[in-house]
Amino acid sequence: MPQITFYKHAPIPLEMHKVRIVQKLNLLPTSQRLQKIKDSGYNTFQLHNSDIFLDMLTDSGVNAMSDDMESAMLRADDAYAGSESYFRMEKKLQELFGIQYCLPAHQGRACENILATRFVKPGNCVIMNYHFTTAKAHITRVGGRVEELVKDEGLVSQSNLPFKGNIDLEKLEACILKETPANVPFVRLEAGTNLIGGQPVSYENMKAATDICKKHGVLTVLDASLLQDNLYFMKTREEGMANKTVREITRMVADLFDIIYFSARKFGFARGGVILVRDRELYYSMEDLIPMFEGFLTYGGMSVREIEAMTVGFEESMDMNIISQGPQFVGYCVKALDDYGVPVITPGGGLGAHLDASRFVGYIPQEAYPAGALVCALYICGGIRGMERGTLSEERNADGSERMASMELVRLAFPRRVFTLSQTEYVIDRVKWIYDHRELIGGLRFVHEPKTLRFFTGVLEPIGDWPDKLAEAYQAEFGRDQ
């Protein structure tokens, strides 16, 4: 978004698009929301979309497509093999990233499955700036383990540091030497660290980290799912980048890595996934896994209509006016909450605003899932569906004990080009009310706990009757219909 100067109004983010298709929203009365969260096992993933007012669970696959993306879907080539839709996508990705080989997959976690299956052996150590739930699960599934080496400042809730997703370079080199390069199948950097607030990584840090890896002969992998947000922050926060175009910065980043993968449910605004491979032999070593797990090499489990939309979306991701809306809306929300004294991760990153549950409801022990409880409170008091990103999203240790998360966050995702500023103001208002009544919120415990990725399908119950008391207080303030 350009910086629009206002005559009388305080500066606000200004959308550089107009809305042409709308979807009706439904705000259930408080008593019904209370019953819905009970019926869903206090797991917001199990709620029906029709029961939700503002869905801020994720930015994955729920971004608004443009008119150009929608129209591109009409020219899709439905051929099982040799689809021209695939070749149009491949050409666009080669243009933007300068990497020749392209493996399609149905979404980002499918790419992670391919990479883990191909490269990770039992006992291997994969080094990351920070993990993502599915990336880690695929690595541990095949017997590997993960070392997270984000700089200490990345785990500090409130600061003004611009790139809190940076990897610690000294620890990176020390870890490679300790493990030996032969035991490190690859180093994975995540552009926009999802689980610690969508915090970006600087180009300078990426270059230094990949230089260390090249010195030791270790493969480098970039998770570019949140790349468009990271590109925005590089251009606006990093010295020497302001006069470069988004396209130029994209190519600079791409040139650093051996392999790049992403979920197009985020990068590209559509629904799919891609692995880009620089080396031909590496490409050959993975190509047979695509038809085994995904589909033929020219669709990879994706609808060709989505491939056409993605191809347009990749080009739109090079437009600063388009990719700036998400970070600016997040920044607006974060600043307003911070001004209210609400514990929130600062500075605002990409992806969404992140409430710091460890300070919001710090009296709830981590084993009672404070972030999970706060997510439920948000739904009861406003119909807002967020996502827990804390201990509940971890997997237990081998001995059955809880693996405590480094941060207890509630993510309020901002799907790209979806919400209006008035809806954002509503979210801010309801979060502030909950913060002022936070003593009413209690913990949760499992009733049904899946072994892997338990946060998706687990069933929980409250410790005590706090949801009823919270709903009662909310109704006393706002009435039964809100």
Side-chain angles (χ1 to χ4, degrees):
M1 297 180 188
Q3 295 297 317
I4 302 296
T5 301
F6 286 82
Y7 174 51
K8 290 291 186 181
H9 200 287
I12 56 173
L14 185 64
E15 299 90 337
M16 297 302 292
H17 61 263
K18 61 182 179 181
V19 178
R20 298 180 64 187
I21 298 177
V22 297
Q23 182 178 23
K24 184 179 179 181
L25 294 175
N26 185 33
L27 180 58
L28 296 178
T30 310
S31 59
Q32 291 186 34
R33 296 198 301 270
L34 179 63
Q35 188 59 50
K36 295 294 183 181
I37 198 68
K38 289 178 179 179
D39 293 343
S40 70
Y42 292 88
N43 183 343
T44 55
F45 277 95
Q46 302 303 312
L47 289 166
H48 291 203
N49 191 49
S50 59
D51 300 331
I52 296 160
F53 180 48
L54 297 180
D55 191 358
M56 307 183 82
L57 183 81
T58 183
D59 65 329
S60 180
V62 292
N63 301 292
M65 291 198 292
S66 68
D67 52 353
D68 289 337
M69 293 175 70
E70 292 277 0
S71 62
M73 296 172 79
L74 296 176
R75 70 170 183 173
D77 177 4
D78 282 318
Y80 179 89
S83 168
E84 293 299 331
S85 296
Y86 168 81
F87 293 116
R88 283 190 280 269
M89 179 186 74
E90 181 186 51
K91 182 179 179 181
K92 175 56 66 176
L93 289 170
Q94 288 171 344
E95 172 196 329
L96 297 180
F97 291 92
I99 297 176
Q100 182 174 357
Y101 300 105
C102 173
L103 293 168
H106 77 275
Q107 65 181 96
R109 70 195 57 178
C111 300
E112 293 163 350
N113 174 49
I114 300 297
L115 293 170
T117 300
R118 164 62 181 85
F119 293 109
V120 182
K121 304 294 188 293
N124 281 173
C125 174
V126 176
I127 302 171
M128 305 180 180
N129 53 342
Y130 208 78
H131 81 279
F132 184 63
T133 49
T134 55
K136 185 175 182 178
H138 280 300
I139 289 164
T140 58
R141 174 184 59 81
V142 295
R145 57 189 170 83
V146 169
E147 284 288 338
E148 297 171 326
L149 301 182
V150 70
K151 293 186 73 172
D152 292 343
E153 64 197 33
L155 302 179
V156 175
S157 177
Q158 291 194 300
S159 74
N160 59 1
L161 297 172
F163 294 102
K164 290 166 67 174
N166 283 352
I167 194 167
D168 189 307
L169 299 173
E170 291 184 4
K171 290 180 181 179
L172 169 61
E173 185 151 35
C175 189
I176 292 174
L177 293 173
K178 177 185 175 183
E179 294 289 339
T180 74
N183 198 48
V184 181
F186 57 84
V187 169
R188 171 188 172 272
L189 292 183
E190 185 177 339
T193 42
N194 194 310
L195 297 185
I196 57 173
Q199 297 296 314
V201 184
S202 70
Y203 173 79
E204 180 184 27
N205 186 255
M206 286 184 181
K207 187 176 188 310
T210 53
D211 283 347
I212 290 170
C213 293
K214 289 171 185 174
K215 182 173 75 172
H216 295 289
V218 176
L219 278 176
T220 55
V221 174
L222 176 68
D223 179 347
S225 300
L226 297 175
L227 180 61
Q228 65 172 259
D229 295 337
N230 209 110
L231 292 169
Y232 169 84
F233 290 121
M234 284 175 169
K235 184 169 173 61
T236 58
R237 293 181 182 177
E238 188 160 4
E239 185 177 353
M241 293 292 188
N243 293 326
K244 296 186 183 298
T245 66
V246 176
R247 192 179 301 267
E248 288 171 335
I249 300 171
T250 300
R251 187 60 176 270
M252 289 170 62
V253 169
D255 287 346
L256 300 176
F257 292 89
D258 298 306
I259 298 171
I260 297 174
Y261 79 91
F262 55 82
S263 168
R265 297 174 73 89
K266 301 176 178 69
F267 180 67
F269 304 105
R271 297 170 186 84
V274 169
I275 304 173
L276 301 175
V277 189
R278 194 174 300 281
D279 179 79
R280 182 174 64 179
E281 295 305 316
L282 285 180
Y283 169 81
Y284 286 154
S285 73
M286 287 185 276
E287 67 174 348
D288 63 315
L289 298 177
I290 299 299
M292 181 181 296
F293 293 121
E294 297 296 306
F296 191 68
L297 287 168
T298 52
Y299 77 95
M302 289 183 281
S303 159
V304 288
R305 291 168 177 78
E306 295 286 357
I307 290 175
E308 291 285 4
M310 285 164 52
T311 303
V312 176
F314 297 146
E315 181 61 34
E316 291 183 357
S317 295
M318 298 296 105
D319 186 337
M320 191 65 170
N321 283 342
I322 290 176
I323 68 172
S324 61
Q325 184 194 347
Q328 288 197 28
F329 265 57
V330 171
Y332 180 89
C333 182
V334 165
K335 184 181 184 305
L337 291 172
D338 190 44
D339 288 346
Y340 273 142
V342 176
V344 63
I345 299 298
T346 60
L351 174 63
H354 290 75
L355 307 179
D356 183 357
S358 63
R359 292 187 297 133
F360 200 117
V361 284
Y363 55 88
I364 300 177
Q366 282 191 278
E367 56 267 26
Y369 314 123
L374 183 52
V375 165
C376 293
L378 276 165
Y379 176 71
I380 294 169
C381 303
I384 303 161
R385 175 162 72 165
M387 184 190 291
E388 189 273 357
R389 300 277 71 172
T391 298
L392 186 60
S393 292
E394 295 283 350
E395 294 179 5
R396 289 184 182 270
N397 296 312
D399 63 2
S401 61
E402 285 284 7
R403 180 183 287 116
M404 301 302 178
S406 301
M407 304 187 84
E408 293 286 343
L409 304 183
V410 169
R411 184 175 79 192
L412 299 175
F414 278 80
R416 294 159 186 85
R417 305 185 286 199
V418 170
F419 292 130
T420 66
L421 200 59
S422 63
Q423 290 166 337
T424 303
E425 293 283 10
Y426 172 86
V427 172
I428 294 165
D429 183 81
R430 291 308 189 257
V431 170
K432 171 59 174 169
W433 186 90
I434 294 169
Y435 183 64
D436 289 345
H437 298 79
R438 59 193 180 278
E439 73 283 351
L440 296 174
I441 303 172
L444 300 172
R445 59 188 167 219
F446 270 105
V447 175
H448 163 63
E449 181 178 353
K451 184 178 180 180
T452 303
L453 299 175
R454 60 186 182 173
F455 64 94
F456 279 133
T457 57
V459 177
L460 299 103
E461 65 181 6
I463 300 172
D465 61 351
W466 66 263
D468 299 272
K469 293 179 178 177
L470 181 67
E472 182 179 345
Y474 183 82
Q475 287 176 318
E477 182 102 17
F478 295 103
R480 295 187 175 275
D481 293 335
Q482 293 190 52

PDB file of all heavy atoms in Angstrom, residues 27-39:
ATOM      1  N   LEU A  27     -23.256 -13.858  13.249  1.00  0.00           N
ATOM      2  CA  LEU A  27     -22.827 -13.702  14.632  1.00  0.00           C
ATOM      3  C   LEU A  27     -23.868 -14.345  15.541  1.00  0.00           C
ATOM      4  O   LEU A  27     -24.945 -13.794  15.764  1.00  0.00           O
ATOM      5  CB  LEU A  27     -22.650 -12.220  14.988  1.00  0.00           C
ATOM      6  CG  LEU A  27     -22.196 -11.910  16.419  1.00  0.00           C
ATOM      7  CD1 LEU A  27     -20.867 -12.576  16.734  1.00  0.00           C
ATOM      8  CD2 LEU A  27     -22.116 -10.406  16.644  1.00  0.00           C
ATOM      9  N   LEU A  28     -23.559 -15.529  16.046  1.00  0.00           N
ATOM     10  CA  LEU A  28     -24.472 -16.240  16.940  1.00  0.00           C
ATOM     11  C   LEU A  28     -24.563 -15.543  18.290  1.00  0.00           C
ATOM     12  O   LEU A  28     -23.607 -14.907  18.737  1.00  0.00           O
ATOM     13  CB  LEU A  28     -23.988 -17.677  17.154  1.00  0.00           C
ATOM     14  CG  LEU A  28     -23.945 -18.613  15.952  1.00  0.00           C
ATOM     15  CD1 LEU A  28     -23.383 -19.966  16.378  1.00  0.00           C
ATOM     16  CD2 LEU A  28     -25.326 -18.776  15.331  1.00  0.00           C
ATOM     17  N   PRO A  29     -25.683 -15.669  18.985  1.00  0.00           N
ATOM     18  CA  PRO A  29     -25.770 -15.170  20.353  1.00  0.00           C
ATOM     19  C   PRO A  29     -24.754 -15.875  21.268  1.00  0.00           C
ATOM     20  O   PRO A  29     -24.321 -16.999  20.983  1.00  0.00           O
ATOM     21  CB  PRO A  29     -27.204 -15.497  20.773  1.00  0.00           C
ATOM     22  CG  PRO A  29     -27.943 -15.666  19.485  1.00  0.00           C
ATOM     23  CD  PRO A  29     -26.956 -16.220  18.518  1.00  0.00           C
ATOM     24  N   THR A  30     -24.409 -15.240  22.351  1.00  0.00           N
ATOM     25  CA  THR A  30     -23.372 -15.756  23.250  1.00  0.00           C
ATOM     26  C   THR A  30     -23.693 -17.161  23.744  1.00  0.00           C
ATOM     27  O   THR A  30     -22.814 -18.034  23.786  1.00  0.00           O
ATOM     28  CB  THR A  30     -23.215 -14.815  24.467  1.00  0.00           C
ATOM     29  OG1 THR A  30     -23.078 -13.480  24.015  1.00  0.00           O
ATOM     30  CG2 THR A  30     -22.004 -15.210  25.296  1.00  0.00           C
ATOM     31  N   SER A  31     -24.941 -17.391  24.130  1.00  0.00           N
ATOM     32  CA  SER A  31     -25.299 -18.704  24.677  1.00  0.00           C
ATOM     33  C   SER A  31     -25.082 -19.808  23.650  1.00  0.00           C
ATOM     34  O   SER A  31     -24.652 -20.921  23.986  1.00  0.00           O
ATOM     35  CB  SER A  31     -26.756 -18.705  25.139  1.00  0.00           C
ATOM     36  OG  SER A  31     -27.626 -18.389  24.067  1.00  0.00           O
ATOM     37  N   GLN A  32     -25.356 -19.511  22.393  1.00  0.00           N
ATOM     38  CA  GLN A  32     -25.134 -20.500  21.343  1.00  0.00           C
ATOM     39  C   GLN A  32     -23.648 -20.726  21.094  1.00  0.00           C
ATOM     40  O   GLN A  32     -23.204 -21.849  20.853  1.00  0.00           O
ATOM     41  CB  GLN A  32     -25.829 -20.071  20.050  1.00  0.00           C
ATOM     42  CG  GLN A  32     -27.350 -20.125  20.124  1.00  0.00           C
ATOM     43  CD  GLN A  32     -28.000 -19.842  18.784  1.00  0.00           C
ATOM     44  OE1 GLN A  32     -27.470 -20.201  17.739  1.00  0.00           O
ATOM     45  NE2 GLN A  32     -29.153 -19.180  18.823  1.00  0.00           N
ATOM     46  N   ARG A  33     -22.867 -19.655  21.152  1.00  0.00           N
ATOM     47  CA  ARG A  33     -21.420 -19.821  20.987  1.00  0.00           C
ATOM     48  C   ARG A  33     -20.848 -20.668  22.109  1.00  0.00           C
ATOM     49  O   ARG A  33     -19.963 -21.519  21.885  1.00  0.00           O
ATOM     50  CB  ARG A  33     -20.727 -18.459  20.924  1.00  0.00           C
ATOM     51  CG  ARG A  33     -21.113 -17.614  19.725  1.00  0.00           C
ATOM     52  CD  ARG A  33     -20.111 -16.504  19.468  1.00  0.00           C
ATOM     53  NE  ARG A  33     -19.940 -15.579  20.559  1.00  0.00           N
ATOM     54  CZ  ARG A  33     -20.638 -14.467  20.731  1.00  0.00           C
ATOM     55  NH1 ARG A  33     -21.603 -14.147  19.866  1.00  0.00           N
ATOM     56  NH2 ARG A  33     -20.390 -13.653  21.753  1.00  0.00           N
ATOM     57  N   LEU A  34     -21.321 -20.458  23.305  1.00  0.00           N
ATOM     58  CA  LEU A  34     -20.867 -21.265  24.437  1.00  0.00           C
ATOM     59  C   LEU A  34     -21.164 -22.733  24.203  1.00  0.00           C
ATOM     60  O   LEU A  34     -20.302 -23.603  24.438  1.00  0.00           O
ATOM     61  CB  LEU A  34     -21.540 -20.774  25.722  1.00  0.00           C
ATOM     62  CG  LEU A  34     -21.196 -21.544  27.009  1.00  0.00           C
ATOM     63  CD1 LEU A  34     -19.714 -21.423  27.341  1.00  0.00           C
ATOM     64  CD2 LEU A  34     -22.050 -21.036  28.170  1.00  0.00           C
ATOM     65  N   GLN A  35     -22.351 -23.030  23.712  1.00  0.00           N
ATOM     66  CA  GLN A  35     -22.703 -24.420  23.448  1.00  0.00           C
ATOM     67  C   GLN A  35     -21.877 -24.984  22.293  1.00  0.00           C
ATOM     68  O   GLN A  35     -21.460 -26.152  22.337  1.00  0.00           O
ATOM     69  CB  GLN A  35     -24.195 -24.523  23.127  1.00  0.00           C
ATOM     70  CG  GLN A  35     -24.699 -25.957  23.013  1.00  0.00           C
ATOM     71  CD  GLN A  35     -24.477 -26.750  24.293  1.00  0.00           C
ATOM     72  OE1 GLN A  35     -24.834 -26.300  25.392  1.00  0.00           O
ATOM     73  NE2 GLN A  35     -23.879 -27.931  24.177  1.00  0.00           N
ATOM     74  N   LYS A  36     -21.626 -24.181  21.276  1.00  0.00           N
ATOM     75  CA  LYS A  36     -20.840 -24.651  20.126  1.00  0.00           C
ATOM     76  C   LYS A  36     -19.412 -25.005  20.528  1.00  0.00           C
ATOM     77  O   LYS A  36     -18.853 -25.997  20.051  1.00  0.00           O
ATOM     78  CB  LYS A  36     -20.824 -23.588  19.024  1.00  0.00           C
ATOM     79  CG  LYS A  36     -22.165 -23.296  18.385  1.00  0.00           C
ATOM     80  CD  LYS A  36     -22.713 -24.490  17.606  1.00  0.00           C
ATOM     81  CE  LYS A  36     -24.015 -24.131  16.913  1.00  0.00           C
ATOM     82  NZ  LYS A  36     -24.597 -25.275  16.165  1.00  0.00           N
ATOM     83  N   ILE A  37     -18.795 -24.203  21.399  1.00  0.00           N
ATOM     84  CA  ILE A  37     -17.414 -24.494  21.801  1.00  0.00           C
ATOM     85  C   ILE A  37     -17.383 -25.736  22.685  1.00  0.00           C
ATOM     86  O   ILE A  37     -16.436 -26.532  22.631  1.00  0.00           O
ATOM     87  CB  ILE A  37     -16.753 -23.273  22.485  1.00  0.00           C
ATOM     88  CG1 ILE A  37     -15.221 -23.432  22.487  1.00  0.00           C
ATOM     89  CG2 ILE A  37     -17.257 -23.065  23.892  1.00  0.00           C
ATOM     90  CD1 ILE A  37     -14.582 -23.345  21.142  1.00  0.00           C
ATOM     91  N   LYS A  38     -18.437 -25.945  23.472  1.00  0.00           N
ATOM     92  CA  LYS A  38     -18.529 -27.184  24.249  1.00  0.00           C
ATOM     93  C   LYS A  38     -18.662 -28.384  23.320  1.00  0.00           C
ATOM     94  O   LYS A  38     -17.966 -29.396  23.491  1.00  0.00           O
ATOM     95  CB  LYS A  38     -19.738 -27.126  25.195  1.00  0.00           C
ATOM     96  CG  LYS A  38     -19.584 -26.153  26.364  1.00  0.00           C
ATOM     97  CD  LYS A  38     -20.852 -26.134  27.224  1.00  0.00           C
ATOM     98  CE  LYS A  38     -20.715 -25.183  28.401  1.00  0.00           C
ATOM     99  NZ  LYS A  38     -21.951 -25.133  29.234  1.00  0.00           N
ATOM    100  N   ASP A  39     -19.538 -28.263  22.333  1.00  0.00           N
ATOM    101  CA  ASP A  39     -19.762 -29.371  21.399  1.00  0.00           C
ATOM    102  C   ASP A  39     -18.514 -29.688  20.569  1.00  0.00           C
ATOM    103  O   ASP A  39     -18.338 -30.828  20.121  1.00  0.00           O
ATOM    104  CB  ASP A  39     -20.925 -29.039  20.455  1.00  0.00           C
ATOM    105  CG  ASP A  39     -22.261 -28.952  21.176  1.00  0.00           C
ATOM    106  OD1 ASP A  39     -22.353 -29.451  22.326  1.00  0.00           O
ATOM    107  OD2 ASP A  39     -23.201 -28.374  20.601  1.00  0.00           O
TER     108      ASP A  39
END
